[in-house]
Amino acid sequence: MGLVKSSGPGGVTVVRIVGQLIVGNRQELKAMVQEGLDGGETKFLIDCTDTAYIDSSGLGALVTLARKVRESGGDLRIAGLNEDLRSLFELTKLDTLFPIAPTPTEALAGF
């Protein structure tokens, strides 16, 4: 379990969440994205293909990151939500805040 940061095509920073996004690792996610913003990166993809669970603090971290990235003139997208997480995003209306793609490949093509 953890977070894996990599570079995708077109200068997209990809952060893959493996396992869970919870209170214990949300700060690591925020630091990874902030580091990218500080380095001039503007395109971010949060890959949830291997994510089983996101708690309320994890959702809050994603909302905060979306705001920071948007205020910096960037774009943050989410991809690979399983059916339960997709439902969670729809029920909390977070699906209106983030562009969500079924797969990372589709999300990368949208940048």
Side-chain angles (χ1 to χ4, degrees), residues 92-107:
T92 58
K93 303 294 185 200
L94 290 177
D95 60 329
T96 62
L97 182 61
F98 307 99
I100 300 174
T103 67
T105 303
E106 291 176 67

Side-chain angles (χ1 to χ4, degrees), residues 20 23 25 31 37 45-46 50 53 57 63-64 73 88 95 105 109:
Q20 307 176 66
V23 69
N25 64 353
L37 287 171
L45 171 62
I46 307 298
D50 298 317
Y53 179 72
S57 65
V63 170
T64 298
L88 175 65
D95 60 329
T105 303

Side-chain angles (χ1 to χ4, degrees), residues 1 3 17-30 46 48 51-65 78 81-82 84-86 88-89 92 94 98:
M1 293 195 310
L3 303 172
I17 303 170
V18 179
Q20 307 176 66
L21 178 59
I22 57 174
V23 69
N25 64 353
R26 69 186 167 95
Q27 292 293 28
E28 183 182 355
L29 173 64
K30 289 168 80 173
I46 307 298
C48 296
T51 309
Y53 179 72
I54 300 175
D55 72 4
S56 59
S57 65
L59 291 173
L62 290 172
V63 170
T64 298
L65 290 173
I78 295 178
L81 294 173
N82 65 31
D84 290 338
L85 291 176
R86 181 71 189 199
L88 175 65
F89 274 67
T92 58
L94 290 177
F98 307 99

Side-chain angles (χ1 to χ4, degrees), residues 5-9 11-14 41:
K5 184 177 173 183
S6 62
S7 295
V12 178
T13 299
V14 179
E41 298 169 14

